[in-house]
């Protein structure tokens, strides 16, 4: 299970990415991407279906996958995808050298967790029960506290 120390470690990264970023304000991929932008953090939206996403009236260039990130080894990744998609994202993230991941509520199942939590896969994995939200650790609910603990807010 994730802890406040795990969430703080996630936010020590100099760069961030949101897998599942969307232009649709009703989707959590949009809300999480907007959260990073609202805090002036360096964030890259990941969306294989669209070359850009729009947040708060501004277009942001996407990358199609985590392997296409400019500095994957310096990027912590928030994931907002169905577990069937998440497992592939995690395998690619491990290969790319992504250090930390945040699995938003609804993005993981037993297979995802087994892979993500295996020794040596990631330095920090934020997921599951805990945090201040009723659905577990969520960037939108717990991010500011962890960001502050990491000295970035």
């Amino acid at each position: 299970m994730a802890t406040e120390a795990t969430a703080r470690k996630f936010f020590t990264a100099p760069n961030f990415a949101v897998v599942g970023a969307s232009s649709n304000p009703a989707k959590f991929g949009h809300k999480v991407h907007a959260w990073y932008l609202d805090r002036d953090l360096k964030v890259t939206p990941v969306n294989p279906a669209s070359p850009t996403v729009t947040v708060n009236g501004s277009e942001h260039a996407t990358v199609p996958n985590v392997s296409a990130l400019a500095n994957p080894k310096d990027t912590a990744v928030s994931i907002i995808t169905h577990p069937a998609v998440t497992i592939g994202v995690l395998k690619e993230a491990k290969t790319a050298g992504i250090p930390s991941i945040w699995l938003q509520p609804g993005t993981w199942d037993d297979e995802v967790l087994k892979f993500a939590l295996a020794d040596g896969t990631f330095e920090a994995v934020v997921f599951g029960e805990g945090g201040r939200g009723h659905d577990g650790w969520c960037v939108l609910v717990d991010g500011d506290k962890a960001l502050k603990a990491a000295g970035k807010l």
Side-chain angles (χ1 to χ4, degrees):
M1 180 175 351
T3 64
E4 289 185 13
T6 311
R8 181 178 61 246
K9 171 69 176 159
F10 177 88
F11 282 113
T12 63
N15 305 298
F16 301 92
V18 176
V19 175
S22 169
S23 293
N24 182 342
K27 296 199 173 257
F28 281 103
H30 178 92
K31 294 173 185 183
V32 171
H33 184 209
W35 183 91
Y36 283 99
L37 292 170
D38 290 345
R39 283 146 188 84
D40 294 323
L41 297 170
K42 291 174 62 176
V43 61
T44 301
V46 179
N47 184 324
S50 178
T52 63
V53 293
T54 302
V55 176
N56 297 329
S58 297
E59 282 196 353
H60 302 273
T62 66
V63 295
N65 52 55
V66 294
S67 296
L69 291 166
N71 299 298
K73 293 179 180 175
D74 294 325
T75 304
V77 176
S78 291
I79 300 175
I80 305 100
T81 57
H82 185 276
V85 175
T86 301
I87 189 67
V89 172
L90 293 180
K91 289 176 180 178
E92 184 179 5
K94 178 183 178 187
T95 300
I98 299 291
S100 302
I101 57 166
W102 191 305
L103 297 169
Q104 286 291 116
T107 65
W108 47 271
D109 58 16
D110 290 342
E111 179 186 12
V112 167
L113 292 182
K114 182 178 179 183
F115 182 85
L117 298 173
D119 284 343
T121 304
F122 300 104
E123 294 173 20
V125 179
V126 184
F127 76 99
E129 293 183 17
R132 296 178 299 142
H134 67 279
D135 289 328
W137 289 95
C138 175
V139 168
L140 302 174
V141 177
D142 303 299
D144 283 336
K145 184 175 182 181
L147 196 58
K148 185 175 182 180
K152 292 188 175 181
L153 185 64

